[in-house]
Amino acid sequence: MNSKFTRTDLGFAAVMLVCGFLYWNLISIDSLGAGVSIFAVIFCIVISIYLKLSGIHQTRGSIICLVVVALSAANFPLYDNIMIKGLNFIFLSVSVVYYICVLTKKRTEDKLTIFFIGDMINQLLIVPFYNFNCCFLGLKNGMIKNRHSKGLISALAGIVIFLPVLILVTNLLTDADAAFESMINSIHFSLSANMIEYIIQVILGIPVACYLFGLVYGNRYNRHTNHITLESINKNAAAFRFAPSITVYSALAVLNGIYMLFFISQASYLFSAFGNHIPGVMTYSEYARRGFFELCMVAGINLGVIIIAHLITSRGEKTGTPKMLKIETVALCFFTIMLIGTALSKMAMYIKYFGLTQLRVYTTWFMLVLLLVFVIIALRQFKIFNGSKIVIISFVILFMFLCYGNVDGMIAKYNINRYVDGTLKTVDVNALARLSDGAVPYMFQLYKDTDDENLKNNLKSVIIDQEDRERTFRDFNLQKYKGNQIRATIR
């Protein structure tokens, strides 16, 4: 494996130390605002230039990945829903790592398949940590060859050692002289506070820099990128196929039989939502919530059973999926799809009577994703096609819809419009209070239009009480900015 470092590698290592600092300096975890987008742009530009200088050029696949990264990153300065932005931050991180994998051509297969899971385990855990020390090895080698670098490091070490003295002297001079204090205040820089914060960010940025450099450098020079390969995955998969086929088929047949009896015995209860009525002993809330938890349990069990059954079933000398295993899989998918359809109808009925909430939107979205997965699994038993690619691409599209759908604004708009139209008896102001600033424009419009003084006062209180702390460009998002403008008009 390569142990030499070119000037390009050394320059990239130095830049990664800066990126490690910027990771903590720009990204504010409690807001996930524009700083995330700025860091993503800087990092993608840096790695693209480094790999291009190393002779690695963009491909059609890497450009598509870069577009996905750009769509994900562009969301942070626009919307204010912290939960969705938290999920999007994870999605963005995974997307950037996969972009590097595609650009350096280190995928197990040169296309999007089920082996995407192996690629991500390799890229997120194995490659960066096996190459974790390469950043400092490169810098150390560069310093040994350059006597000026030794002097620079010694100078920086001296500054760090004397930093407490510098802070103390600066504070004493600030207290002793008004002119000096005015100069320090004019540049908005407090050595006693900001410098310590910067030092902490530099220290925390070092492991981030080592991780990022190890990831990119390892893929650039093919260092420790072959721990998970197509051959190793197939070999391990073959080792798992130890269960006699008759054992698996019998277990699946019993499970399918239980589900069939369950659906028959619970038919009137499960399918009540299709007729827009519920069992007399239950409320709409109890009916919908119970249906969702049933869905999660059944879907989770069935998906786990399908995966395990396909992993452990002995194939003998055959390479394809046994016919009986396909039949049992289709049956499990059918039962799960039936329950998902029932649960979706329950949720639609619940929303009709009680309106939208974040939880109802998120669970509906989740059910749609599950529905897609089980439909693809079922179809895959009849015809061989790249189902994993369809699932992954569909998930990306659905997730982007969730990110850019302005969920909180949509919830507020839907509930308020239903209230104005008279199809909802009340508007739940307490529920609106739990939404982000994406809901503020719709609450403000109702505040201006309503003649109900009690409702007007409640809406004003909710709008004003929304989080409105001082923010920097790192925390900026457009919805928060508009919310602050509205708050300023009604205070």
Side-chain angles (χ1 to χ4, degrees):
M1 290 185 180
N2 181 67
S3 58
K4 296 181 180 180
F5 296 88
T6 65
R7 288 186 177 180
T8 303
D9 300 329
L10 298 179
F12 182 64
V15 173
M16 283 299 99
L17 287 176
V18 177
C19 284
F21 163 74
L22 291 177
Y23 182 88
W24 297 107
N25 183 263
L26 291 175
I27 299 175
S28 180
I29 299 299
D30 64 335
S31 64
L32 296 176
V36 178
S37 304
I38 295 171
F39 178 81
V41 169
I42 293 172
F43 182 65
C44 287
I45 289 175
V46 168
I47 60 176
S48 298
I49 292 175
Y50 167 67
L51 292 175
K52 184 176 182 180
L53 292 175
S54 303
I56 299 174
H57 301 283
Q58 298 285 351
T59 63
R60 180 175 176 272
S62 67
I63 291 174
I64 292 174
C65 290
L66 194 56
V67 170
V68 173
V69 169
L71 284 173
S72 176
N75 179 263
F76 293 95
L78 297 177
Y79 297 96
D80 193 48
N81 186 312
I82 191 63
M83 178 176 178
I84 292 179
K85 289 201 293 186
L87 295 174
N88 190 28
F89 183 73
I90 298 172
F91 178 85
L92 175 62
S93 303
V94 173
S95 298
V96 170
V97 171
Y98 192 66
Y99 164 66
I100 296 170
C101 178
V102 173
L103 180 57
T104 54
K105 299 180 180 178
K106 292 299 181 292
R107 289 186 290 179
T108 52
E109 284 192 313
D110 194 25
K111 56 184 178 180
L112 198 57
T113 65
I114 188 63
F115 298 111
F116 167 84
I117 299 173
D119 289 332
M120 295 318 300
I121 294 173
N122 197 35
Q123 295 294 324
L124 288 168
L125 299 176
I126 297 177
V127 175
F129 286 113
Y130 268 83
N131 296 289
F132 196 77
N133 64 338
C134 288
C135 183
F136 281 111
L137 283 177
L139 292 174
K140 179 182 177 182
N141 290 345
M143 292 170 192
I144 291 174
K145 297 177 182 178
N146 191 333
R147 60 185 180 88
H148 298 294
S149 298
K150 294 181 180 179
L152 177 61
I153 295 300
S154 299
L156 291 175
I159 293 174
V160 172
I161 292 172
F162 274 87
L163 190 58
V165 178
L166 293 174
I167 293 173
L168 176 61
V169 170
T170 302
N171 284 335
L172 290 173
L173 291 175
T174 300
D175 293 335
D177 185 77
F180 187 72
E181 181 182 15
S182 177
M183 183 185 72
I184 294 296
N185 291 336
S186 66
I187 61 175
H188 304 287
F189 189 82
S190 172
L191 289 175
S192 61
N194 290 356
M195 186 61 74
I196 294 176
E197 183 180 352
Y198 293 149
I199 291 173
I200 293 173
Q201 290 172 353
V202 169
I203 294 172
L204 293 177
I206 291 173
V208 175
C210 292
Y211 179 92
L212 296 177
F213 182 84
L215 171 67
V216 181
Y217 181 80
N219 281 293
R220 161 69 179 89
Y221 288 104
N222 200 29
R223 287 176 54 91
H224 302 290
T225 58
N226 295 323
H227 289 273
I228 297 179
T229 63
L230 187 62
E231 292 76 18
S232 66
I233 293 174
N234 288 330
K235 182 179 179 180
N236 290 328
F240 269 97
R241 293 169 183 163
F242 59 86
S245 57
I246 186 64
T247 302
V248 176
Y249 301 157
S250 300
L252 290 176
V254 172
L255 183 61
N256 280 321
I258 291 173
Y259 282 131
M260 183 178 296
L261 291 174
F262 173 78
F263 274 100
I264 292 173
S265 64
Q266 298 290 316
S268 60
Y269 159 72
L270 288 173
F271 299 104
S272 294
F274 289 111
N276 198 33
H277 63 275
I278 61 174
V281 297
M282 301 185 71
T283 66
Y284 287 107
S285 177
E286 292 171 339
Y287 184 61
R289 283 201 302 267
R290 186 174 180 182
F292 174 68
F293 290 123
E294 287 169 346
L295 162 71
C296 290
M297 292 179 65
V298 173
I301 291 172
N302 287 359
L303 188 59
V305 167
I306 289 171
I307 292 172
I308 293 172
H310 281 256
L311 281 176
I312 69 173
T313 302
S314 176
R315 310 290 173 89
E317 297 182 358
K318 297 180 179 179
T319 57
T321 304
K323 185 177 180 180
M324 184 57 67
L325 183 58
K326 290 183 178 181
I327 294 173
E328 301 285 6
T329 300
V330 170
L332 278 175
C333 289
F334 173 73
F335 289 132
T336 308
I337 291 170
M338 285 177 63
L339 189 56
I340 291 174
T342 306
L344 285 171
S345 65
K346 288 181 180 183
M347 187 60 71
M349 183 177 63
Y350 195 26
I351 292 169
K352 177 181 176 181
Y353 285 96
F354 296 102
L356 286 172
T357 64
Q358 286 180 326
L359 183 60
R360 291 164 204 168
V361 173
Y362 298 152
T363 53
T364 300
W365 180 87
F366 180 66
M367 284 188 282
L368 290 173
V369 172
L370 283 179
L371 179 62
L372 168 71
V373 170
F374 280 98
V375 168
I376 295 299
I377 292 174
L379 293 176
R380 185 68 172 69
Q381 308 311 307
F382 295 100
K383 185 177 181 180
I384 301 298
F385 62 92
N386 193 346
S388 301
K389 181 178 181 179
I390 296 174
V391 169
I392 294 171
I393 292 175
S394 299
F395 174 82
V396 170
I397 294 172
L398 288 172
F399 186 71
M400 286 297 103
F401 270 113
L402 184 67
C403 289
Y404 284 93
N406 187 18
V407 170
D408 289 348
M410 176 187 69
I411 291 170
K413 181 180 179 181
Y414 177 85
N415 291 343
I416 289 171
N417 286 345
R418 293 267 317 266
Y419 170 72
V420 172
D421 294 341
T423 54
L424 276 181
K425 294 181 179 180
T426 60
V427 57
D428 190 342
V429 178
N430 291 328
L432 293 177
R434 291 190 287 270
L435 303 177
S436 68
D437 269 8
V440 168
Y442 303 101
M443 288 190 284
F444 181 58
Q445 187 62 47
L446 180 60
Y447 166 82
K448 292 190 297 182
D449 294 342
T450 185
D451 295 325
D452 186 334
E453 287 300 322
N454 186 47
L455 177 59
K456 185 183 288 285
N457 290 333
N458 287 338
L459 287 169
K460 180 179 179 179
S461 177
V462 167
I463 293 172
I464 292 177
D465 287 345
Q466 292 276 24
E467 180 186 3
D468 188 23
R469 65 183 178 82
E470 184 179 353
R471 290 171 176 262
T472 67
F473 71 93
R474 301 169 183 82
D475 309 290
F476 175 85
N477 71 74
L478 188 60
Q479 288 187 336
K480 177 62 69 177
Y481 174 75
K482 290 182 177 179
N484 287 338
Q485 286 184 319
I486 292 172
R487 277 185 281 273
T489 65
I490 63 175
R491 277 200 172 96

